[in-house]
Amino acid sequence: RNGDAVVEKDLLSHEDLAKDRGDMIDDIFDETYREKEGPKPPLRYVWRNIILMSLLHLGAILGLVLIPSAKIQTLAWAILCFLVSALGITAGSHRLWSHRSYKATLPLRIFLTIANSIAFQNDIYEWVRDHRVHHKFSETDADPHNATRGFFFSHIGWLLVRKHPDVIEKGQKLDLSDVKADKVVMFQRRYYKPSVVLLCFTLPTVVPWYFWDESIVISFFIPAILRYTIGLNATWLVNSAAHMFGNRPYDQNINPRENPLVSLGALGEGFHNYHHTFPYDYSTSEFGWRFNITTAFIDLMCLLGLASDRKKVSKEVIMARKMRTGDGSHKSG
Ligand code: ST9
Ligand code: ZN
Ligand code: ZN
């Protein structure tokens, strides 16, 4: 009986928060969904992506080798590009547009969209569509980076083959009206390719070369290529490592885990058991700014009046959920 009361409280919070987000519920796990029976469709390799991703990673190795020859300003610039691009993903396409976990004013949405093109992880609309099916149909054929298919597939492999038809079938049923209504998002989608050429590759290269006479080779291979590759891998680790390694204090029945190391590289996005349990929480974690630059950034934006309406799950609901479905690890941590 006690348990039932707690369940009710959880559900209440889901629905209340959904209302708060304009009835957005398509990032909440669908427990009723069952994968289709029968043999799986064969893998269809996309050789263009396999070649480009291989070249990118070779280029990143060259970037690593060049680090000792780079000027200190160039390395600082590469780190700045990394941080800004990462915020375009974490605070932008992830916490704002995929989960509607806070509200952002037009100037902030423009900044996050520019940052998002520096990160070059598909346009915001496509990112949101893939990410909502990832949450709603986690670890099934309809999840684009289904972690039950192994570390390699959930890390990078999913970008090297055609999608499972169920991803597309289920994705087409999602409500994406909120992102379609965002003019900034639709503008980025329309001009996505030129925006990436300019912001992910040209801008990071030209600045060190023009302003402090860095060699053009170093300017290209460190702030553009190496920085981009590290950003991709830090993001992919959320899909691979944070779906495999770590505790499950909030829900032991799901795969996503708490992984502080991933959080460190992904600006706060490695508290993944929490995040899949409470996807609407703007902090993606129970612990505020700990390993979580993105939360500090969103809080700063609120302070400056550029953001508002942060959704946060109450301590009571979190505790009740830990007791009901957690693995008990919160007691030792
Ligand atoms: C990249 C994305 O790396 C990384 C996302 C990671 C997500 C992380 C989540 C974790 C959260 C925390 C964030 C941490 C951040 C930390 C930052 C720290 C730095 N629903 O895709 P296509 C339909 S990108 C509905 O071509 P194929 C649709 O009609 C890297 N419909 O499918 C679509 O047409 P359109 C750079 C869907 O042919 C049509 O199908 N980018 C859905 O199977 C065709 O879609 C690349 O490398 C859906 N979900 O090809 C590009 N999906 O779009 C890689 C599809 O016109 N991608 N449809 O509406 C590709 O080349 C292809 O997508 C493919 C599949 C080959 C992988
Ligand atoms: Zn998410
Ligand atoms: Zn996940």
Side-chain angles (χ1 to χ4, degrees), residues 169-296:
E169 187 192 312
K170 285 290 161 186
Q172 276 163 350
K173 299 200 176 93
L174 291 176
D175 181 6
L176 294 164
S177 53
D178 54 326
V179 267
K180 280 186 191 141
D182 192 321
K183 293 208 167 63
V184 186
V185 173
M186 288 298 120
F187 182 87
Q188 189 217 31
R189 183 160 167 85
R190 187 149 163 212
Y191 297 105
Y192 191 58
K193 276 189 188 138
S195 83
V196 163
V197 172
L198 190 72
L199 294 166
C200 177
F201 298 109
T202 310
L203 175 79
T205 306
V206 163
V207 166
W209 169 78
Y210 183 84
F211 286 102
W212 52 86
D213 280 326
E214 183 58 276
S215 90
I216 194 81
V217 172
I218 290 179
S219 303
F220 179 67
F221 280 99
I222 298 178
I225 297 297
L226 178 60
R227 181 272 315 164
Y228 174 47
T229 312
I230 292 176
L232 284 180
N233 281 279
T235 306
W236 298 339
L237 281 171
V238 179
N239 298 334
S240 54
H243 271 254
M244 287 176 185
F245 313 118
N247 294 331
R248 290 179 283 187
Y250 308 98
D251 194 340
Q252 59 180 337
N253 307 309
I254 60 175
N255 256 335
R257 322 271 169 144
E258 298 295 282
N259 192 312
L261 265 179
V262 172
S263 273
L264 199 64
L267 269 50
E269 302 284 20
F271 305 103
H272 216 48
N273 190 250
Y274 184 89
H275 177 57
H276 273 262
T277 309
F278 302 112
Y280 33 73
D281 190 311
Y282 89 100
S283 190
T284 69
S285 139
E286 184 183 355
F287 304 112
W289 293 8
R290 196 194 297 175
F291 293 113
N292 208 330
I293 298 177
T294 306
T295 297

Side-chain angles (χ1 to χ4, degrees), residues 27 94-95 98-99 127 131-132 134-135 269 272 275-276 279 284:
D27 59 348
H94 192 220
R95 299 189 197 182
S98 293
H99 296 299
W127 206 104
H131 194 64
R132 288 187 186 165
H134 166 64
H135 274 267
E269 302 284 20
H272 216 48
H275 177 57
H276 273 262
T284 69

Side-chain angles (χ1 to χ4, degrees), residues 14-57:
H14 275 321
E15 279 167 10
D16 285 352
L17 280 150
K19 280 217 178 58
D20 227 22
R21 299 184 302 167
D23 274 327
M24 219 286 280
I25 50 160
D26 270 349
D27 59 348
I28 291 173
F29 185 60
D30 180 352
E31 304 202 13
T32 63
Y33 174 71
R34 294 287 170 272
E35 277 181 355
K36 296 191 183 101
E37 307 271 340
K40 307 273 180 199
L43 281 184
R44 286 194 290 145
Y45 296 105
V46 178
W47 287 103
R48 189 192 66 133
N49 291 9
I50 295 173
I51 291 166
L52 288 176
M53 278 298 172
S54 307
L55 288 177
L56 180 71
H57 283 75

Side-chain angles (χ1 to χ4, degrees), residues 36-156:
K36 296 191 183 101
E37 307 271 340
K40 307 273 180 199
L43 281 184
R44 286 194 290 145
Y45 296 105
V46 178
W47 287 103
R48 189 192 66 133
N49 291 9
I50 295 173
I51 291 166
L52 288 176
M53 278 298 172
S54 307
L55 288 177
L56 180 71
H57 283 75
L58 286 175
I61 293 172
L62 179 57
L64 278 176
V65 172
L66 289 171
I67 286 180
S69 328
K71 293 187 175 168
I72 189 83
Q73 302 97 301
T74 308
L75 300 179
W77 169 248
I79 292 171
L80 182 71
C81 289
F82 172 82
L83 288 173
V84 171
S85 68
L87 286 171
I89 299 300
T90 59
S93 48
H94 192 220
R95 299 189 197 182
L96 176 65
W97 282 295
S98 293
H99 296 299
R100 302 264 140 209
S101 67
Y102 68 100
K103 290 200 176 81
T105 57
L106 181 65
L108 179 56
R109 282 186 285 127
I110 292 173
F111 168 77
L112 289 172
T113 301
I114 292 170
N116 189 272
S117 281
I118 302 177
F120 181 16
Q121 291 192 8
N122 299 334
D123 64 55
I124 296 166
Y125 178 83
E126 185 173 340
W127 206 104
V128 168
R129 192 172 61 184
D130 277 345
H131 194 64
R132 288 187 186 165
V133 270
H134 166 64
H135 274 267
K136 192 165 179 180
F137 307 105
S138 250
E139 329 282 27
T140 71
D141 286 335
D143 174 351
H145 30 86
N146 178 2
T148 63
R149 294 175 69 174
F151 187 96
F152 186 81
F153 180 82
S154 56
H155 194 76
I156 182 175

